[in-house]
């Protein structure tokens, strides 16, 4: 798997979080109550994206050290 595909896979949870956040905003405009479950799901997707990005960064640092 090349690095561009890996970066795309790491970005997918952040894209999902953005889509869910936009859905929450759209639903909140139409109704007076906020869908907190959807907001929580978006935050979970964001945290998974952060974890994946951190893991990829640590892997890249380790690979750079091994090459030296």
């Amino acid at each position: 798997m090349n690095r561009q595909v890996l970066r795309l896979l790491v970005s997918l949870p952040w894209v999902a979080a953005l889509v869910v956040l936009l859905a929450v905003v759209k639903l909140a405009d139409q109704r007076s109550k906020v869908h907190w479950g959807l907001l929580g799901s978006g935050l979970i997707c964001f945290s998974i994206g952060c974890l994946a990005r951190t893991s990829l960064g640590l892997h890249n640092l380790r690979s750079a050290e091994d090459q030296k």
Side-chain angles (χ1 to χ4, degrees), residues 16-17 20-21 23-25 27 34-45:
V20 171
L21 181 63
V24 167
V25 170
L27 290 173
V34 177
H35 296 274
W36 293 108
L38 281 176
L39 188 61
S41 297
L43 292 174
I44 288 171
C45 290

Side-chain angles (χ1 to χ4, degrees), residues 15-34:
V15 171
L18 179 64
V19 168
V20 171
L21 181 63
L22 290 175
V24 167
V25 170
K26 178 85 171 162
L27 290 173
D29 283 346
Q30 294 176 356
R31 299 180 183 174
S32 61
K33 76 177 190 182
V34 177

Side-chain angles (χ1 to χ4, degrees), residues 1-15 48-49 51-61 63:
M1 185 178 297
N2 64 15
R3 290 194 184 273
Q4 289 180 344
V5 173
L6 194 57
R7 285 183 185 154
L8 176 66
L9 287 175
V10 167
S11 301
L12 286 178
W14 284 335
V15 171
I48 290 171
L51 179 64
R53 186 68 186 162
T54 302
S55 178
L56 180 63
L58 290 173
H59 178 276
N60 289 341
L61 283 174
S63 295

